Amino acid sequence: MSIRQQEAPRLDPRKFQDPEVTLKGEPRAKVALGALRTLWFNTGTLCNIACAHCYIESSPRNDALAYLTLDEVRRFLDEARGQPLEEVGFTGGEPFMNPELVPMLEEVLARGLRVLVLTNAMQPLRRHRAALRALLDRHGPERLILRVSLDHHDAAAHDLERGAGSFARTLEGMRWLAREGFTLHVAGRAGFGQAGEAAMRAGYAALFAAHGIAVDAADPVALMLFPEMDAGRDVPEITTACWGILGKSPQSVMCASSRMVVRRKGAPRAAVLACTLLAYDPRFELGATLAEAARPVALNHPHCARFCVLGGAACSR
Ligand code: SF4
Ligand code: SF4
């Protein structure tokens, strides 16, 4: 725990409970699904490593979210026909642990959609290099984006989070992706270390330049710096009045334009969640189909406030 976290006031557990009203009795903000533009698939929570602050608690043993299958992905893509879907995201765990990931990517690309894969670019991806290279040859780099998690531009800081040697292995994976001509994006952490955002971006820029990695560190999409996620730290609840006060539209929040499909271990079928950030909170499980999951989402989780409304994080493009 950082000094900043120790000093931060803790969240009153009575907050974020009622989907209709806040603790003060004010109407809670809700977000309607405008148009489904991004569909996420969680391919399963298994990961080759176990990072200290993994928001979904992935590890080589956590299979709370089971491997999705190609047939399930097809079923949801079929259901999304006719919607203005632009992008299909794959997250985990480490998506390349799922033995059907590459056929899933092929399925999405063949339908003319853009693919975004979140990966640590380590050993699981390495095993699929030939197949990935073949996908690139068939479909080109514009619609095939790999976003690699590199928590910090400094090897020691990154390895503190992800284990000794992780930085070197991920960097080697990034260099391969860049050399082969994939569209490569990077995800870092804005609050990791005490440096400000400008210093973090400068550090990443120097690293990319030193290794011939063509990522523009000044571009907030190409290098996405995510705020820290601490659900126990105090944060204001979001009311219907907040949008006007903040000058922010509900349509700018991820759950206004996306959903995520998961399959819980032992569950007979996949389920659709409001977003990628709340995989284990049953209040954000909206149904078994995209149609069922098209209902409004009440923002009654601290992440809704800190990460989406106040933090300004964009989890997609
Ligand atoms: S690599 Fe990603 S999914 Fe795996 S443990 Fe680390 S943060 Fe979690
Ligand atoms: S954390 Fe809350 S506000 Fe953000 S996308 Fe998920 S449900 Fe919506």
Side-chain angles (χ1 to χ4, degrees), residues 15-39:
K15 280 183 164 182
F16 295 101
Q17 295 304 315
D18 188 323
E20 301 301 326
V21 289
T22 66
L23 182 57
K24 287 185 188 160
E26 294 167 312
R28 185 177 305 286
K30 291 187 179 177
V31 170
L33 181 66
L36 184 70
R37 299 199 182 278
T38 303
L39 181 58

Side-chain angles (χ1 to χ4, degrees), residues 14 29 86 132 170 250 302:
R14 295 170 301 164
E86 296 164 0
L132 209 47
T170 291

Side-chain angles (χ1 to χ4, degrees), residues 44-60 91-95 118-120 122 149 151 161-162:
T45 38
L46 283 177
C47 188
N48 55 311
I49 55 176
C51 301
H53 292 95
C54 177
Y55 84 99
I56 203 163
E57 297 155 26
S58 285
S59 76
T91 183
E94 168 51 51
L118 312 192
T119 176
N120 57 35
M122 297 169 83
S149 301
D151 287 330
E161 179 73 16
R162 294 186 174 233

